[in-house]
Amino acid sequence: MPFDIFKKAIDEFNEMGGEAVGFTPIVGEPLLDPGLISKIEYALRFPSIKEVYFFTNGTLLLKDENYKK
């Protein structure tokens, strides 16, 4: 998802009082998204968003040291 669309969705989600954001697709690996870290950081800017999560099979945790991020 392009960042501008994500940003609009998170802004609206925050305005509605949303508290948890999940980055796990129905089918796929969230770490394949090169913008995942930026999206997580953006979502965590909002005090109302208390939880950000995703499920991964772990195969890409070593790529670009994702496990540190």
Side-chain angles (χ1 to χ4, degrees):
M1 174 186 302
F3 190 80
D4 59 331
I5 294 172
F6 171 80
K7 184 179 180 292
K8 184 177 185 308
I10 289 296
D11 291 347
E12 290 176 9
F13 183 67
N14 177 61
E15 288 174 14
M16 295 185 312
E19 295 182 355
V21 177
F23 286 94
T24 303
I26 293 183
V27 176
E29 171 59 49
L31 292 173
L32 286 172
D33 179 357
L36 179 65
I37 302 302
S38 296
K39 291 172 182 170
I40 291 171
E41 290 171 345
Y42 185 79
L44 289 173
R45 289 181 179 181
F46 298 96
S48 67
I49 297 177
K50 298 172 178 48
E51 181 180 10
V52 173
Y53 65 90
F54 64 88
F55 297 96
T56 176
N57 62 18
T59 59
L60 296 175
L61 286 173
L62 294 177
K63 182 180 182 204
D64 300 326
E65 297 185 329
N66 282 324
Y67 68 95
K68 290 182 180 180
K69 299 171 189 170

